[in-house]
Amino acid sequence: QEIKQKIEKYNAKVTNCLLMKLNDDGTYTGFIKVHLKLRRPVTVPAGIRPQSIYDALKEVNLADMTDKRTSFYLPLDAIKQLHISSTTTVSEVIQGLLKKFMVVDNPQKFALFKEMRKDGQVLFQKLPLTEYPLYLRLLAGPDTDVLSFVLKENETGEVEWDAFSIPELQNFLMILDKEEKDKIQQVQRKYEKFKQRLQQTL
């Protein structure tokens, strides 16, 4: 009864038809939006067409159709909408997102965070794999400014480099090299401006 009241209160605030639905067994279904904020490239099958509705209905795993792999960057801050159940865990959400984008990386490389805004600050909190995102959505209401979900790299603790393939590690080296060069240029420009100001003052 308590969940029913919460769902009715939630649905009353919904403005985009993405309602939650209570099932006879006490579970409920609804929608969550996940922002993808991945800074590193992901590994996907090479030369595979995007998944069709037919593939999704038949649960065809296109990633298993080839052993060839390539790496690329997902669009920063892309948003994916998922229809999930109250029994869907964070771990299942991560695996579902990776499957939708045909990402073959180890799910342990990623983590789901909840993003909250408080007193003008943006706060991130990593969610445990056994948490239920739809319940958090229900408690927070449909306003994504109050609570939103973000998929990021799992960078808490020590990075398990052995979990990465050789092409991935080479990509990381290239990225680090580029970031290092960019940082050097920033510092050089900064001190060049200081030098010009000093010369003008003199």
Side-chain angles (χ1 to χ4, degrees), residues 108-122:
Q108 293 180 355
K109 297 178 185 177
F110 307 92
L112 193 67
F113 291 76
K114 63 178 181 180
E115 179 182 333
M116 300 162 291
R117 300 178 187 276
K118 187 176 181 181
D119 300 328
Q121 290 186 320
V122 179

Side-chain angles (χ1 to χ4, degrees), residues 33 60 68 88 92 95 147 149 175 182 186 200 202:
K33 290 182 179 180
V60 174
K68 295 180 180 179
T88 305
E92 291 168 332
Q95 292 177 43
L147 170 74
F149 297 104
I175 293 168
D182 289 343
Q186 288 176 14
Q200 289 174 358
L202 288 171

